[in-house]
Amino acid sequence: MVATVLSAQSTDRRVNSVTPELFRRYPSPLELAEAGQADVEAIIQPVGFYRNKATAVIGLSRRIVDEFNGVVPGTLDELVTLRASGGRPPTSYSATPSTFRGSPPTPT
């Protein structure tokens, strides 16, 4: 899901260049929810619109922690409660816990 946020107005190559470091430093929603804005911005800067995207991924992580006990939702009913991004509706990808750990979302 985080990769989907980062993909808005960016290329897969750019997103794939920043996600390994992002997930190395913040391997779970809880760690990313507690991340400093400036640190996340510095990591994702190459994807463009990095300030807004950092705010979005931190906010998404906080919602996952607060509303789903830190587990990425696995059902469509839960998934659609999270804000879609990148012009993709929530139904355009499936979410699994591995989605957060750096695997790109699976298009459906």
XYZ file of all heavy atoms in Angstrom:
813
model
N 0.812 -1.182 0.000
C 0.000 0.000 0.000
C 0.862 1.255 0.000
O 0.509 2.236 -0.638
C -0.923 0.009 1.211
C -1.949 -1.110 1.190
S -3.040 -1.026 2.602
C -3.993 0.380 2.120
N 1.947 1.211 0.735
C 2.837 2.365 0.768
C 3.399 2.631 -0.624
O 3.470 3.775 -1.069
C 3.965 2.155 1.802
C 5.034 3.221 1.684
C 3.383 2.141 3.211
N 3.760 1.580 -1.334
C 4.279 1.751 -2.693
C 3.225 2.390 -3.598
O 3.561 3.154 -4.503
C 4.742 0.415 -3.259
N 1.975 2.107 -3.355
C 0.905 2.708 -4.143
C 0.841 4.208 -3.889
O 0.685 4.999 -4.820
C -0.453 2.052 -3.818
O -0.363 0.658 -4.087
C -1.568 2.649 -4.636
N 0.979 4.618 -2.644
C 1.012 6.049 -2.330
C 2.184 6.708 -3.050
O 2.040 7.763 -3.661
C 1.113 6.274 -0.805
C 1.340 7.749 -0.489
C -0.125 5.754 -0.087
N 3.337 6.069 -3.007
C 4.536 6.644 -3.620
C 4.459 6.677 -5.141
O 5.137 7.475 -5.785
C 5.778 5.865 -3.183
C 6.074 5.862 -1.686
C 7.309 5.016 -1.413
C 6.233 7.265 -1.144
N 3.634 5.825 -5.722
C 3.600 5.703 -7.181
C 2.873 6.849 -7.888
O 3.029 7.009 -9.094
C 2.958 4.374 -7.588
O 1.564 4.388 -7.326
N 2.115 7.643 -7.156
C 1.380 8.750 -7.794
C 2.365 9.700 -8.473
O 3.298 10.194 -7.848
C 0.553 9.504 -6.756
N 2.158 9.925 -9.770
C 2.993 10.843 -10.540
C 4.477 10.461 -10.500
O 5.348 11.329 -10.508
C 2.807 12.275 -10.057
C 1.392 12.787 -10.174
C 0.928 12.870 -11.616
O 1.614 13.416 -12.453
N -0.232 12.299 -11.910
N 4.761 9.168 -10.430
C 6.139 8.699 -10.400
C 6.238 7.409 -11.207
O 5.229 6.813 -11.562
C 6.584 8.452 -8.954
O 7.974 8.219 -8.905
N 7.445 6.990 -11.460
C 7.650 5.746 -12.202
C 7.884 4.596 -11.239
O 8.320 4.794 -10.096
C 8.867 5.850 -13.140
O 10.051 6.013 -12.330
C 8.727 7.020 -14.105
N 7.607 3.393 -11.713
C 7.891 2.210 -10.902
C 9.372 2.146 -10.544
O 9.737 1.754 -9.438
C 7.491 0.929 -11.646
C 5.986 0.771 -11.759
O 5.249 1.485 -11.042
O 5.550 -0.077 -12.558
N 10.228 2.537 -11.481
C 11.673 2.498 -11.228
C 12.038 3.392 -10.042
O 12.810 3.004 -9.172
C 12.428 2.924 -12.478
C 13.938 2.918 -12.276
C 14.671 3.166 -13.549
N 14.551 1.929 -14.318
C 14.836 1.816 -15.604
N 15.286 2.856 -16.269
N 14.687 0.679 -16.232
N 11.478 4.589 -10.006
C 11.757 5.504 -8.887
C 11.227 4.935 -7.572
O 11.903 4.970 -6.553
C 11.119 6.865 -9.128
C 11.767 7.670 -10.172
C 12.918 8.433 -9.575
N 13.434 9.318 -10.616
C 14.671 9.700 -10.686
N 15.527 9.299 -9.792
N 15.069 10.479 -11.648
N 9.994 4.443 -7.595
C 9.404 3.874 -6.382
C 10.246 2.694 -5.901
O 10.573 2.589 -4.714
C 7.936 3.452 -6.617
C 7.387 2.691 -5.422
C 7.076 4.677 -6.915
N 10.631 1.836 -6.825
C 11.433 0.668 -6.458
C 12.829 1.048 -5.973
O 13.471 0.262 -5.279
C 11.527 -0.299 -7.633
C 10.204 -0.955 -7.932
O 9.313 -1.011 -7.089
N 10.045 -1.436 -9.156
N 13.276 2.243 -6.302
C 14.597 2.676 -5.832
C 14.562 3.174 -4.388
O 15.592 3.170 -3.714
C 15.163 3.762 -6.751
O 14.513 4.998 -6.558
N 13.406 3.600 -3.905
C 13.334 4.143 -2.540
C 12.713 3.189 -1.525
O 12.998 3.302 -0.331
C 12.586 5.500 -2.496
C 13.268 6.525 -3.387
C 11.134 5.372 -2.817
N 11.888 2.270 -1.973
C 11.201 1.406 -0.993
C 12.141 0.498 -0.204
O 11.883 0.280 0.988
C 10.064 0.584 -1.636
O 10.561 -0.116 -2.766
C 8.906 1.478 -2.018
N 13.220 -0.035 -0.774
C 14.082 -0.878 0.070
C 14.623 -0.138 1.300
O 14.596 -0.672 2.412
C 15.213 -1.309 -0.880
C 14.584 -1.282 -2.235
C 13.653 -0.085 -2.185
N 15.083 1.085 1.116
C 15.602 1.860 2.253
C 14.480 2.253 3.215
O 14.644 2.188 4.437
C 16.341 3.108 1.773
C 16.869 3.977 2.897
C 17.932 3.310 3.763
O 18.465 2.239 3.394
O 18.246 3.870 4.824
N 13.343 2.650 2.672
C 12.215 3.015 3.527
C 11.814 1.853 4.412
O 11.643 2.011 5.625
C 11.026 3.475 2.668
C 9.796 3.939 3.434
C 10.089 5.199 4.245
C 8.644 4.174 2.467
N 11.694 0.660 3.839
C 11.257 -0.495 4.623
C 12.378 -1.102 5.456
O 12.117 -1.797 6.433
C 10.612 -1.538 3.719
C 9.313 -1.056 3.135
C 9.106 -1.066 1.772
C 8.299 -0.581 3.941
C 7.919 -0.622 1.226
C 7.108 -0.125 3.409
C 6.918 -0.137 2.058
N 13.619 -0.820 5.105
C 14.716 -1.253 5.966
C 14.678 -0.452 7.269
O 14.827 -0.990 8.355
C 16.064 -1.048 5.265
C 17.258 -1.573 6.088
C 18.596 -1.221 5.465
N 18.896 0.213 5.544
C 19.258 0.865 6.670
N 19.339 0.210 7.814
N 19.526 2.156 6.644
N 14.448 0.845 7.131
C 14.422 1.700 8.312
C 13.109 1.625 9.078
O 13.091 1.842 10.297
C 14.713 3.134 7.904
C 16.190 3.223 7.492
C 16.570 4.508 6.882
N 16.878 5.546 7.835
C 17.259 6.760 7.438
N 17.363 7.034 6.158
N 17.533 7.678 8.327
N 12.026 1.348 8.377
C 10.697 1.296 8.996
C 9.990 0.024 8.525
O 9.143 0.078 7.639
C 9.890 2.544 8.613
C 10.610 3.818 8.967
C 11.200 4.602 7.980
C 10.729 4.223 10.287
C 11.882 5.766 8.297
C 11.416 5.380 10.619
C 11.990 6.148 9.628
O 12.667 7.297 9.948
N 10.325 -1.116 9.109
C 9.811 -2.399 8.599
C 8.362 -2.724 8.962
O 7.829 -3.737 8.493
C 10.763 -3.423 9.198
C 11.289 -2.781 10.434
C 11.332 -1.304 10.141
N 7.721 -1.904 9.757
C 6.331 -2.200 10.120
C 5.525 -0.900 10.135
O 6.084 0.193 10.212
C 6.262 -2.857 11.499
O 6.482 -1.899 12.518
N 4.194 -1.028 10.093
C 3.360 0.171 10.186
C 3.625 0.973 11.462
O 3.629 2.204 11.429
C 1.936 -0.382 10.158
C 2.041 -1.662 9.420
C 3.377 -2.230 9.831
N 3.888 0.293 12.576
C 4.132 1.002 13.829
C 5.376 1.881 13.720
O 5.354 3.057 14.107
C 4.290 0.012 14.990
C 4.605 0.644 16.346
C 3.502 1.609 16.769
C 4.822 -0.431 17.385
N 6.451 1.343 13.180
C 7.673 2.138 13.061
C 7.498 3.309 12.096
O 7.977 4.408 12.354
C 8.845 1.246 12.628
C 9.344 0.402 13.776
C 9.541 -1.059 13.428
O 9.015 -1.529 12.402
O 10.210 -1.726 14.211
N 6.797 3.085 11.000
C 6.572 4.172 10.052
C 5.606 5.207 10.626
O 5.762 6.403 10.404
C 6.071 3.640 8.711
C 6.014 4.634 7.556
C 7.320 5.394 7.378
C 5.646 3.919 6.272
N 4.642 4.765 11.411
C 3.706 5.696 12.053
C 4.432 6.630 13.014
O 4.013 7.769 13.213
C 2.615 4.922 12.790
N 5.524 6.167 13.588
C 6.287 6.957 14.548
C 7.469 7.679 13.907
O 8.235 8.352 14.589
C 6.770 6.053 15.682
C 5.625 5.475 16.496
C 6.083 4.470 17.539
O 7.230 3.974 17.459
O 5.279 4.169 18.434
N 7.621 7.552 12.615
C 8.768 8.136 11.912
C 8.692 9.651 11.893
O 7.612 10.238 11.901
C 8.819 7.611 10.477
N 9.844 10.257 11.804
C 9.911 11.708 11.647
C 9.610 12.089 10.209
O 10.076 11.442 9.268
N 8.825 13.116 10.056
C 8.435 13.596 8.730
C 9.667 13.880 7.861
O 9.740 13.454 6.712
C 7.574 14.849 8.868
C 7.147 15.489 7.573
C 5.906 14.881 6.974
O 5.173 14.167 7.630
N 5.677 15.161 5.709
N 10.629 14.600 8.395
C 11.809 14.984 7.618
C 12.616 13.767 7.177
O 13.153 13.745 6.066
C 12.688 15.934 8.425
N 12.691 12.747 8.018
C 13.442 11.549 7.656
C 12.763 10.808 6.507
O 13.426 10.395 5.549
C 13.595 10.632 8.866
C 14.575 9.503 8.607
O 15.656 9.765 8.035
O 14.263 8.357 8.972
N 11.458 10.657 6.584
C 10.726 9.986 5.506
C 10.842 10.806 4.224
O 11.073 10.252 3.146
C 9.255 9.726 5.900
C 8.466 9.168 4.725
C 9.179 8.787 7.095
N 10.725 12.108 4.331
C 10.869 12.968 3.153
C 12.230 12.765 2.491
O 12.331 12.684 1.262
C 10.704 14.436 3.530
C 9.289 14.832 3.846
C 9.165 16.282 4.294
O 10.180 17.016 4.305
O 8.036 16.681 4.639
N 13.280 12.695 3.287
C 14.623 12.533 2.740
C 14.766 11.206 1.996
O 15.416 11.143 0.947
C 15.664 12.634 3.859
N 14.149 10.170 2.505
C 14.241 8.851 1.872
C 13.473 8.819 0.561
O 13.947 8.272 -0.439
C 13.721 7.753 2.826
C 14.613 7.642 4.062
C 13.627 6.405 2.105
C 14.019 6.809 5.179
N 12.282 9.399 0.543
C 11.418 9.256 -0.641
C 11.520 10.425 -1.609
O 10.815 10.439 -2.624
C 9.946 9.019 -0.237
C 9.342 10.251 0.451
C 9.821 7.781 0.644
C 7.832 10.173 0.618
N 12.403 11.370 -1.364
C 12.521 12.558 -2.203
C 12.595 12.258 -3.697
O 11.981 12.963 -4.493
C 13.727 13.392 -1.735
C 13.856 14.736 -2.385
C 14.623 14.679 -3.702
O 15.465 13.820 -3.910
N 14.309 15.589 -4.591
N 13.284 11.200 -4.146
C 13.378 10.961 -5.589
C 12.046 10.693 -6.297
O 11.960 10.836 -7.510
C 14.290 9.734 -5.693
C 15.116 9.775 -4.450
C 14.185 10.310 -3.393
N 11.003 10.313 -5.555
C 9.736 9.994 -6.225
C 8.909 11.232 -6.558
O 7.922 11.139 -7.276
C 8.866 8.986 -5.427
C 9.601 7.688 -5.191
C 8.373 9.574 -4.126
N 9.313 12.394 -6.054
C 8.553 13.604 -6.315
C 7.385 13.765 -5.349
O 6.923 12.789 -4.766
N 6.949 14.990 -5.179
C 5.845 15.306 -4.254
C 6.092 14.670 -2.885
O 5.165 14.215 -2.210
C 4.495 14.869 -4.827
C 4.157 15.508 -6.139
C 4.340 14.801 -7.329
C 3.675 16.798 -6.208
C 4.046 15.386 -8.549
C 3.377 17.395 -7.427
C 3.568 16.685 -8.609
N 7.362 14.624 -2.499
C 7.767 13.851 -1.329
C 7.198 14.373 -0.020
O 6.966 13.587 0.892
C 9.289 13.728 -1.257
C 10.019 15.047 -1.152
C 10.358 15.568 0.085
C 10.360 15.768 -2.298
C 11.034 16.770 0.187
C 11.036 16.965 -2.206
C 11.370 17.460 -0.970
O 12.038 18.658 -0.873
N 6.937 15.662 0.080
C 6.357 16.170 1.335
C 4.940 15.635 1.531
O 4.587 15.144 2.611
C 6.381 17.695 1.349
C 7.770 18.258 1.525
C 7.765 19.772 1.687
N 9.122 20.252 1.857
C 9.861 20.768 0.882
N 9.371 20.908 -0.327
N 11.098 21.173 1.128
N 4.131 15.752 0.498
C 2.759 15.240 0.589
C 2.739 13.727 0.751
O 1.926 13.179 1.506
C 1.962 15.630 -0.651
C 1.656 17.116 -0.706
O 1.697 17.803 0.314
N 1.373 17.617 -1.883
N 3.625 13.050 0.037
C 3.651 11.583 0.116
C 4.140 11.109 1.480
O 3.632 10.115 2.010
C 4.503 11.001 -1.015
C 3.832 11.187 -2.372
C 4.700 10.669 -3.494
C 4.056 10.924 -4.857
N 4.876 10.386 -5.952
N 5.101 11.807 2.071
C 5.553 11.442 3.413
C 4.414 11.593 4.414
O 4.191 10.716 5.248
C 6.749 12.301 3.828
N 3.690 12.703 4.305
C 2.527 12.905 5.172
C 1.516 11.780 4.977
O 0.968 11.248 5.948
C 1.872 14.271 4.870
O 2.820 15.304 5.126
C 0.625 14.490 5.717
N 1.289 11.398 3.721
C 0.300 10.359 3.421
C 0.722 8.994 3.947
O -0.095 8.276 4.536
C 0.051 10.293 1.915
N 1.985 8.600 3.763
C 2.391 7.260 4.215
C 2.473 7.184 5.732
O 2.137 6.150 6.317
C 3.697 6.761 3.554
C 3.537 6.628 2.062
C 4.892 7.602 3.894
N 2.867 8.273 6.372
C 2.857 8.275 7.834
C 1.419 8.211 8.340
O 1.098 7.448 9.256
C 3.612 9.499 8.388
C 5.106 9.370 8.087
C 3.371 9.660 9.888
C 5.905 10.637 8.358
N 0.537 8.992 7.731
C -0.877 8.961 8.121
C -1.519 7.608 7.873
O -2.284 7.101 8.712
N -1.214 7.002 6.735
C -1.723 5.668 6.436
C -1.241 4.675 7.480
O -2.023 3.862 7.990
C -1.261 5.242 5.038
C -1.546 3.803 4.627
C -3.045 3.550 4.536
C -0.868 3.505 3.294
N 0.019 4.762 7.835
C 0.577 3.857 8.841
C -0.090 4.055 10.198
O -0.387 3.081 10.896
C 2.083 4.069 8.952
O 2.699 3.771 7.725
N -0.346 5.303 10.546
C -1.027 5.573 11.821
C -2.425 4.971 11.837
O -2.863 4.415 12.846
C -1.097 7.072 12.074
C 0.229 7.662 12.466
C 0.148 9.145 12.689
N 1.465 9.657 13.061
C 1.866 10.885 12.831
N 1.057 11.777 12.270
N 3.077 11.270 13.193
N -3.126 5.085 10.714
C -4.474 4.496 10.653
C -4.402 2.973 10.755
O -5.246 2.356 11.413
C -5.180 4.889 9.359
C -5.650 6.338 9.412
C -6.735 6.665 8.442
N -7.892 5.816 8.596
C -8.734 5.520 7.612
N -8.534 6.010 6.401
N -9.775 4.756 7.821
N -3.424 2.364 10.107
C -3.274 0.907 10.186
C -3.002 0.495 11.631
O -3.570 -0.481 12.124
C -2.177 0.414 9.228
C -2.646 0.572 7.771
C -1.812 -1.043 9.515
C -1.564 0.358 6.737
N -2.152 1.256 12.319
C -1.855 0.960 13.719
C -3.087 1.180 14.590
O -3.474 0.318 15.384
C -0.666 1.817 14.223
C -0.526 1.728 15.735
C 0.620 1.381 13.530
N -3.738 2.317 14.424
C -4.857 2.681 15.295
C -6.115 1.863 15.039
O -6.814 1.480 15.976
C -5.205 4.168 15.135
C -4.108 5.086 15.653
O -3.215 4.615 16.391
O -4.140 6.281 15.295
N -6.407 1.608 13.772
C -7.686 0.983 13.436
C -7.600 -0.519 13.157
O -8.619 -1.207 13.210
C -8.301 1.696 12.228
C -8.612 3.154 12.524
C -9.093 3.923 11.307
O -9.634 3.304 10.375
O -8.907 5.160 11.295
N -6.396 -1.003 12.854
C -6.252 -2.411 12.478
C -5.155 -3.099 13.279
O -4.598 -4.103 12.843
C -5.982 -2.539 10.974
C -7.093 -1.994 10.133
C -7.010 -0.728 9.581
C -8.246 -2.739 9.906
C -8.048 -0.208 8.810
C -9.285 -2.228 9.146
C -9.181 -0.963 8.597
N -4.838 -2.545 14.446
C -3.838 -3.129 15.338
C -2.503 -3.391 14.658
O -1.816 -4.367 14.954
C -4.376 -4.415 15.974
C -5.595 -4.162 16.820
O -5.622 -3.201 17.587
N -6.612 -4.985 16.668
N -2.138 -2.536 13.719
C -0.849 -2.636 13.066
C -0.754 -3.655 11.952
O 0.312 -3.905 11.421
N -1.893 -4.244 11.576
C -1.919 -5.260 10.529
C -2.614 -4.681 9.293
O -3.726 -4.169 9.384
C -2.664 -6.530 11.003
C -2.732 -7.570 9.902
C -1.991 -7.097 12.245
N -1.939 -4.766 8.142
C -2.539 -4.273 6.909
C -3.834 -5.038 6.661
O -3.855 -6.266 6.731
C -1.572 -4.457 5.716
C -2.227 -4.030 4.415
C -0.292 -3.667 5.947
N -4.929 -4.337 6.392
C -6.211 -5.010 6.179
C -6.126 -6.044 5.055
O -5.478 -5.800 4.038
C -7.175 -3.890 5.788
C -6.494 -2.625 6.116
C -5.041 -2.896 6.227
N -6.796 -7.150 5.270
C -6.767 -8.221 4.291
C -8.072 -8.437 3.560
O -8.136 -9.256 2.653
N -9.107 -7.689 3.947
C -10.386 -7.845 3.266
C -10.731 -6.562 2.531
O -10.320 -5.463 2.928
C -11.530 -8.172 4.246
O -11.779 -7.021 5.064
C -11.204 -9.385 5.109
N -11.502 -6.693 1.480
C -11.906 -5.531 0.700
C -12.717 -4.558 1.550
O -12.529 -3.345 1.457
C -12.699 -5.971 -0.526
C -13.128 -4.861 -1.474
C -11.921 -4.078 -1.978
C -13.914 -5.433 -2.634
N -13.600 -5.066 2.397
C -14.404 -4.186 3.244
C -13.532 -3.318 4.140
O -13.808 -2.134 4.339
C -15.373 -4.996 4.102
C -16.519 -5.582 3.303
O -16.801 -5.068 2.198
O -17.137 -6.546 3.787
N -12.458 -3.883 4.671
C -11.546 -3.098 5.505
C -10.669 -2.191 4.642
O -10.426 -1.037 4.986
C -10.650 -4.028 6.323
C -11.382 -4.837 7.357
C -10.511 -5.902 7.979
O -9.694 -6.526 7.274
O -10.667 -6.107 9.195
N -10.212 -2.721 3.533
C -9.308 -1.985 2.661
C -9.934 -0.692 2.142
O -9.279 0.348 2.101
C -8.885 -2.876 1.494
C -7.853 -2.325 0.532
C -6.556 -2.024 1.248
C -7.633 -3.310 -0.601
N -11.191 -0.734 1.793
C -11.827 0.463 1.226
C -12.013 1.573 2.250
O -12.294 2.703 1.873
C -13.162 0.146 0.506
C -12.936 -0.776 -0.669
C -14.187 -0.407 1.468
N -11.827 1.273 3.527
C -11.904 2.329 4.530
C -10.641 3.174 4.555
O -10.649 4.270 5.094
C -12.158 1.765 5.944
O -11.017 1.017 6.366
C -13.415 0.916 5.984
N -9.572 2.659 3.969
C -8.332 3.428 3.873
C -8.370 4.275 2.620
O -8.881 3.855 1.586
C -7.117 2.496 3.838
C -6.913 1.656 5.089
C -5.808 0.646 4.861
C -6.594 2.545 6.285
N -7.809 5.436 2.698
C -7.808 6.360 1.573
C -6.985 5.791 0.417
O -5.834 5.416 0.582
C -7.213 7.673 2.025
C -7.179 8.715 0.972
C -6.620 9.976 1.548
N -6.422 10.939 0.485
C -5.902 12.111 0.672
N -5.533 12.481 1.873
N -5.748 12.932 -0.325
N -7.589 5.753 -0.753
C -6.862 5.331 -1.946
C -5.967 6.473 -2.387
O -6.199 7.625 -2.062
C -7.833 4.958 -3.058
N -4.941 6.135 -3.137
C -4.051 7.187 -3.616
C -3.545 6.829 -4.993
O -3.759 5.733 -5.487
C -2.868 7.346 -2.672
O -2.111 6.166 -2.675
N -2.881 7.767 -5.600
C -2.308 7.529 -6.905
C -3.346 7.334 -7.984
O -3.066 6.764 -9.033
N -4.570 7.812 -7.727
C -5.618 7.674 -8.713
C -6.192 6.274 -8.802
O -7.057 6.003 -9.607
N -5.706 5.378 -7.971
C -6.200 4.003 -7.998
C -7.247 3.815 -6.909
O -7.001 4.172 -5.763
C -5.052 3.028 -7.749
C -4.025 3.024 -8.836
C -2.979 1.952 -8.541
N -1.989 1.934 -9.571
C -0.768 2.429 -9.449
N -0.398 2.977 -8.311
N 0.082 2.368 -10.443
N -8.385 3.244 -7.266
C -9.357 2.942 -6.213
C -8.835 1.808 -5.354
O -7.980 1.034 -5.791
C -10.605 2.521 -6.991
C -10.094 2.051 -8.301
C -8.861 2.859 -8.584
N -9.311 1.669 -4.121
C -8.816 0.610 -3.249
C -9.007 -0.782 -3.832
O -8.303 -1.700 -3.461
C -9.638 0.767 -1.965
C -10.210 2.113 -2.027
C -10.290 2.500 -3.472
N -9.942 -0.934 -4.744
C -10.177 -2.249 -5.313
C -9.190 -2.596 -6.415
O -9.231 -3.696 -6.947
C -11.605 -2.338 -5.897
O -11.774 -1.279 -6.832
C -12.642 -2.239 -4.797
N -8.254 -1.696 -6.741
C -7.323 -1.968 -7.833
C -6.109 -2.769 -7.391
O -5.279 -3.132 -8.196
C -6.874 -0.673 -8.503
O -6.059 0.065 -7.621
N -5.982 -3.024 -6.095
C -4.889 -3.857 -5.618
C -5.358 -4.635 -4.413
O -6.304 -4.279 -3.741
C -3.648 -3.016 -5.279
C -3.908 -1.891 -4.315
C -3.829 -2.087 -2.949
C -4.251 -0.630 -4.781
C -4.071 -1.064 -2.070
C -4.494 0.404 -3.892
C -4.397 0.182 -2.544
O -4.645 1.204 -1.681
N -4.674 -5.733 -4.158
C -4.994 -6.516 -2.979
C -3.940 -6.237 -1.928
O -2.785 -5.977 -2.239
C -5.036 -8.007 -3.305
O -3.776 -8.438 -3.750
N -4.326 -6.286 -0.677
C -3.387 -6.001 0.399
C -3.140 -7.252 1.211
O -4.058 -7.992 1.545
C -3.946 -4.912 1.306
N -1.895 -7.469 1.498
C -1.487 -8.520 2.405
C -0.431 -7.910 3.311
O 0.115 -6.853 2.993
C -0.890 -9.719 1.648
O 0.301 -9.274 0.994
C -1.867 -10.300 0.646
N -0.107 -8.557 4.413
C 0.942 -7.991 5.255
C 2.252 -7.761 4.507
O 2.987 -6.830 4.795
C 1.092 -9.033 6.360
C -0.267 -9.632 6.460
C -0.767 -9.676 5.029
N 2.561 -8.574 3.509
C 3.808 -8.385 2.771
C 3.792 -7.119 1.936
O 4.841 -6.612 1.568
C 4.086 -9.592 1.874
O 3.117 -9.672 0.854
N 2.613 -6.580 1.650
C 2.528 -5.351 0.886
C 3.285 -4.243 1.609
O 3.967 -3.455 0.995
C 1.062 -4.925 0.705
O 0.354 -5.984 0.115
C 0.951 -3.701 -0.176
N 3.207 -4.210 2.923
C 3.877 -3.173 3.670
C 5.377 -3.401 3.689
O 6.150 -2.483 3.713
C 3.359 -3.123 5.117
C 3.759 -1.859 5.789
C 2.941 -0.757 5.742
C 4.972 -1.757 6.445
C 3.314 0.434 6.345
C 5.356 -0.574 7.038
C 4.521 0.518 6.990
N 5.804 -4.615 3.660
C 7.214 -4.934 3.815
C 8.028 -4.734 2.542
O 9.130 -5.216 2.444
C 7.370 -6.344 4.318
C 6.802 -6.500 5.695
C 7.593 -7.510 6.466
N 7.124 -7.590 7.819
C 7.689 -6.949 8.830
N 8.729 -6.205 8.642
N 7.219 -7.074 10.036
N 7.494 -4.036 1.562
C 8.295 -3.686 0.417
C 7.880 -4.346 -0.876
O 8.355 -3.991 -1.930
N 6.992 -5.326 -0.784
C 6.484 -5.927 -2.008
C 5.488 -4.959 -2.618
O 4.665 -4.395 -1.918
C 5.775 -7.240 -1.702
O 6.655 -8.142 -1.070
N 5.553 -4.745 -3.914
C 4.580 -3.847 -4.515
C 3.184 -4.429 -4.417
O 3.007 -5.632 -4.328
C 5.039 -3.728 -5.966
C 5.909 -4.900 -6.197
C 6.462 -5.313 -4.871
N 2.159 -3.571 -4.432
C 0.794 -4.059 -4.413
C 0.545 -4.953 -5.618
O 1.157 -4.777 -6.669
C -0.062 -2.812 -4.493
C 0.849 -1.670 -4.374
C 2.246 -2.145 -4.520
N -0.347 -5.895 -5.443
C -0.683 -6.798 -6.521
C -1.867 -6.241 -7.279
O -2.970 -6.180 -6.729
C -1.049 -8.187 -5.963
O 0.031 -8.633 -5.149
C -1.311 -9.177 -7.078
N -1.683 -5.764 -8.526
C -2.825 -5.265 -9.284
C -3.823 -6.388 -9.540
O -3.442 -7.526 -9.755
C -2.211 -4.784 -10.603
C -0.769 -4.657 -10.334
C -0.438 -5.656 -9.242
N -5.095 -6.038 -9.525
C -6.128 -7.040 -9.790
C -6.882 -6.684 -11.045
O -6.776 -5.620 -11.565
C -7.104 -7.153 -8.604
O -7.632 -5.872 -8.320
C -6.387 -7.694 -7.385
